[in-house]
Amino acid sequence: AAAGGVGLLACQWAKSVGCKMIGTVSTNEKAELAKANGCSFIINYKSENVVEKVKEITNNKGVPVVYDGVGKDTFNKGLTCLAERGRIVCYGFSSGPIEPVNISNIRPFSGSIATGALLTYTKNHIERQKNSNQLFDLINKEVLKINIHQD
């Protein structure tokens, strides 16, 4: 979801720290938006095979991390795109909850799964304030630009 709210910020943030991001989108318009926000590679999941395209981009190595905000519809594809010792981070479930995972499917490549919720991942007000300050500092320095779209 490279052209969504979190995706656009992730594209910008990744580029600012020198990462090359592979983003998925559903339309050409969203592809242009993600590219304009720093996404290095775009895959239109409606017209391209995500797993094959990721393997092509990474010379069959896969990616070190997948950030999945969709859930049910994308989780298994994300697992298939992971490199050795890769991690999939589930931060949303817009398409529904993820089906039970057979852990033996990720064991051969030492993969891992991470998830969390904001209020339990950041333990207290001080930690949340520190994280907020870091985010707003990046916005104030214009490393991250907030895109507000209205239909």
Side-chain angles (χ1 to χ4, degrees):
V6 173
L8 291 174
L9 289 175
C11 291
Q12 294 173 56
W13 208 331
K15 185 175 182 177
S16 78
V17 296
C19 292
K20 292 188 186 282
M21 185 168 179
I22 301 172
T24 60
V25 297
S26 61
T27 68
N28 291 336
E29 294 78 20
K30 289 179 180 181
E32 290 302 317
L33 186 58
K35 191 83 160 168
N37 280 273
C39 196
S40 302
F41 303 95
I42 309 290
I43 302 170
N44 184 327
Y45 62 82
K46 297 272 188 181
S47 61
E48 298 176 284
N49 182 304
V50 173
V51 175
E52 286 178 12
K53 195 74 176 164
V54 167
K55 297 294 183 183
E56 177 186 316
I57 293 167
T58 64
N59 295 318
N60 277 338
K61 293 180 182 172
V63 294
V65 65
V66 170
Y67 293 98
D68 186 348
V70 177
K72 181 181 179 183
D73 292 347
T74 57
F75 180 80
N76 285 321
K77 285 181 187 173
L79 278 180
T80 307
C81 293
L82 289 177
E84 240 179 52
R85 295 190 290 172
R87 173 176 284 204
I88 188 166
V89 179
C90 305
Y91 67 90
F93 306 98
S94 62
S95 68
I98 296 167
E99 299 294 323
V101 177
N102 182 344
I103 200 79
S104 62
N105 291 340
I106 63 172
R107 188 170 185 269
F109 64 93
S110 298
S112 64
I113 301 168
T115 190
L118 178 62
L119 295 179
T120 55
Y121 188 80
T122 54
K123 300 251 183 242
N124 57 50
H125 172 74
I126 294 167
E127 193 173 341
R128 284 189 288 280
Q129 186 65 54
K130 178 184 166 203
N131 292 346
S132 295
N133 289 345
Q134 289 174 333
L135 174 65
F136 285 110
D137 187 48
L138 292 172
I139 293 168
N140 288 332
K141 290 179 180 175
E142 296 186 358
V143 171
L144 301 179
K145 293 175 182 62
I146 304 301
N147 296 289
I148 300 173
H149 301 280
Q150 293 180 334
D151 294 331

